[in-house]
């Protein structure tokens, strides 16, 4: 049975987000930069803001823990837009192919509610989706099954009678793809647009030539 609906992650699939774009300017030494982004402004800390914690709260807590790095910590969200490289063209092209084929498209992203509007206002590709679950707005983060349940309930409103096996979820984080698969979705670990497109064709989605 062919898949019917495609759900996209955004960062790393459609939007080029990388803290190094900013911190290469602030911490030129690669070793020091890696330590800072691993031990201070770590992904675990970022996920807390993605899960709905206020940026002001998360920043203040981190500054209290690492006062020697205050300016670098505050730069993370004060200059967050400098971490955005723009739209990933190959990913956007895949969205266009699916849209042209009439495939219902949805978004499921771990993203702070406070920074998401910046991307929404600037990147038209994000407006191609029938609905988007932003983790910071629902205060849930992937790979928590609850955020997939929220996404599924929204898809049902647009596609009545949809089943888990009708859904494809594309994410550059393999844990998130596996979490979707555990719920009966088709989880696709995104490593390149070409590989993802090939997998979508295997799942029966008509993408043209």
């Amino acid at each position: 049975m062919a898949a019917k609906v495609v759900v996209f992650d955004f960062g790393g699939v459609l939007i080029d987000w990388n803290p190094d774009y900013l911190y290469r300017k602030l911490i030129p030494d690669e070793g020091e930069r890696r330590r800072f982004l691993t031990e201070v402004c770590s992904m675990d800390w970022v996920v807390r803001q993605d899960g709905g914690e206020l940026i002001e709260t998360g920043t203040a807590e981190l500054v209290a823990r690492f006062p020697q790095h205050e300016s670098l910590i505050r730069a993370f969200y004060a200059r967050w837009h400098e971490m955005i490289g723009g739209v990933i063209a190959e990913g956007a092209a895949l969205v266009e192919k699916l849209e042209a084929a009439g495939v219902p498209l949805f978004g499921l992203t771990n993203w702070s509610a406070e920074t998401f509007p910046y991307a929404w206002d600037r990147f038209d590709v994000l407006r191609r989706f029938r609905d988007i679950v932003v983790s910071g707005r629902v205060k849930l983060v992937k790979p928590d099954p609850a955020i997939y349940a929220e996404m599924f309930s929204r898809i049902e409103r647009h596609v009545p009678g949809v089943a888990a096996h009708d859904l494809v979820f594309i994410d550059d984080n393999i844990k998130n793809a596996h979490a979707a698969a555990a719920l009966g979705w088709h989880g696709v670990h995104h490593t390149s647009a070409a590989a993802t497109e090939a997998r979508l064709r295997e799942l029966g989605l008509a993408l043209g030539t």
Side-chain angles (χ1 to χ4, degrees):
M1 187 178 294
K4 299 176 182 175
V5 174
V6 177
V7 183
F8 277 84
D9 171 44
F10 291 163
V13 180
L14 298 180
I15 306 299
D16 180 14
W17 176 82
N18 189 334
D20 275 0
Y21 294 157
L22 168 63
Y23 281 96
R24 283 189 195 122
K25 307 171 191 175
L26 304 178
I27 310 174
D29 181 86
E30 184 175 355
E32 290 182 19
R33 187 168 66 251
R34 291 273 65 78
R35 280 192 293 275
F36 177 81
L37 293 173
T38 301
E39 299 172 9
V40 184
C41 288
S42 66
M43 284 307 301
D44 286 344
W45 174 72
V46 174
V47 166
R48 285 169 41 194
Q49 281 68 249
D50 286 351
E53 181 170 88
L54 292 175
I55 288 171
E56 181 180 1
T57 301
T59 299
E61 182 177 318
L62 209 59
V63 167
R65 288 177 57 201
F66 301 100
Q68 70 276 27
H69 295 306
E70 179 173 2
S71 62
L72 291 172
I73 292 168
R74 293 195 182 281
F76 194 95
Y77 283 108
R79 298 175 62 178
W80 175 88
H81 60 282
E82 295 179 52
M83 302 179 192
I84 298 287
V87 172
I88 299 172
E90 296 84 355
L94 184 56
V95 168
E96 291 178 5
K97 286 184 180 181
L98 289 164
E99 186 178 49
V103 177
L105 302 177
F106 296 85
L108 174 56
T109 183
N110 280 358
W111 206 308
S112 165
E114 294 177 80
T115 58
F116 186 74
Y118 175 91
W120 177 260
D121 290 344
R122 286 162 178 79
F123 305 127
D124 290 344
V125 67
L126 302 184
R127 299 190 184 86
R128 313 296 276 273
F129 299 92
R130 299 192 184 189
D131 201 349
I132 299 170
V133 172
V134 178
S135 63
R137 292 175 178 169
V138 298
K139 295 181 169 52
L140 299 165
V141 293
K142 296 175 290 181
D144 184 344
I147 197 170
Y148 296 87
E150 173 66 22
M151 183 79 266
F152 187 83
S153 70
R154 297 199 193 182
I155 293 171
E156 280 188 309
R157 297 172 205 164
H158 294 269
V159 189
V162 72
H165 60 76
D166 295 324
L167 309 181
V168 181
F169 177 55
I170 301 166
D171 198 305
D172 66 320
N173 184 319
I174 195 168
K175 292 180 180 179
N176 297 340
H178 284 171
L183 296 170
W185 303 20
H186 299 283
V188 176
H189 177 216
H190 182 82
T191 56
S192 73
T196 293
E197 180 173 340
R199 179 59 181 145
L200 294 178
R201 291 181 186 277
E202 289 174 1
L203 292 170
L205 288 160
L207 293 172
T209 57

